Amino acid sequence: MNWDQISGRWKEFKGQARTKWGELTDDELDQVEGDRERMVGLLQRKYGDNKADAERKVDDWMRGL
């Protein structure tokens, strides 16, 4: 799975993201619109992760899809 595929099917995958990161709201995930950088930024804001940690979490999640 790559980010182009995730972006194209974001409505499907945002539910899985919501399950993984329960503090994220539907509105926040709608604003991500399948964009990896937006997702990384959202995790940084909501969970206080630094950029490298947020990128790792997003990439790990992506590999599990």
Side-chain angles (χ1 to χ4, degrees):
M1 183 75 52
N2 65 43
W3 273 98
D4 288 334
Q5 293 169 316
I6 291 171
S7 180
R9 297 169 43 196
W10 184 242
K11 289 185 183 202
E12 176 183 341
F13 291 120
K14 81 175 189 176
Q16 294 176 21
R18 179 85 163 86
T19 299
K20 172 119 179 116
W21 294 289
E23 291 184 28
L24 304 182
T25 67
D26 287 332
D27 287 340
E28 290 169 330
L29 289 168
D30 285 342
Q31 292 174 4
V32 167
E33 297 178 334
D35 183 89
R36 182 183 179 276
E37 290 304 312
R38 288 182 188 172
M39 187 67 177
V40 168
L42 179 58
L43 292 182
Q44 286 180 271
R45 285 190 306 279
K46 289 294 274 201
Y47 291 94
D49 293 335
N50 63 44
K51 186 172 183 176
D53 287 343
E55 287 175 332
R56 184 179 31 71
K57 287 178 182 180
V58 168
D59 291 342
D60 289 347
W61 171 72
M62 179 194 71
R63 281 190 286 279
L65 296 176

